[in-house]
Amino acid sequence: MVNHQTVGRRTAHLSAEDLAALRENLHEQRLFREEQLRRLAGPVPSRADDRLRQRTAGQIEVHVRLAATARMVLADVEAALHRMEDGSYGSCRLCRRPIDRDRLMIVPQARYCARCQQVKEAVP
């Protein structure tokens, strides 16, 4: 359960309604990614060898990348839900300043404020 006193102190820029909407969004994302991974790793249909031979290397590459991306996003979503539980949600992991509400509404699993995200992306 979320400790609202801790969350409220660190995420004063987010209302209780904001946090509820963000939590719901994250739960929906988690369900979507779990289902996506189940479908991508689903049982191989009969005549699998024939179908695998028909797939191009590009199709296999796309399948592998989709699964990797789904696993990565799922990990980010679960980390955000954990931050909600421990009261650190909404704070930048680098500068510790609040992450802008609008940014969280667009990317609820964001770990960094916009400025720190740009810096991270600029570093090779």
Side-chain angles (χ1 to χ4, degrees), residues 64-85:
V64 168
R65 287 182 186 229
L66 278 172
T69 299
R71 283 190 295 275
M72 187 172 52
V73 172
L74 180 58
D76 287 345
V77 166
E78 288 176 343
L81 288 166
H82 179 73
R83 289 192 303 276
M84 280 186 167
E85 292 297 319

Side-chain angles (χ1 to χ4, degrees), residues 10-60:
R10 292 194 182 166
T11 59
H13 63 295
L14 296 171
S15 70
E17 292 81 18
D18 290 340
L19 284 170
L22 289 163
R23 185 177 293 108
E24 182 178 340
N25 183 306
L26 289 165
H27 282 294
E28 288 173 6
Q29 283 190 55
R30 179 170 55 189
L31 291 173
F32 173 80
R33 294 303 174 174
E34 288 170 344
E35 176 60 26
Q36 183 181 30
L37 286 169
R38 273 192 293 279
R39 280 185 281 124
L40 290 170
V44 178
S46 59
R47 296 198 271 171
D49 291 335
D50 290 339
R51 290 186 183 192
L52 286 176
R53 275 188 230 116
Q54 291 174 359
R55 281 189 174 179
T56 66
Q59 288 172 318
I60 293 170

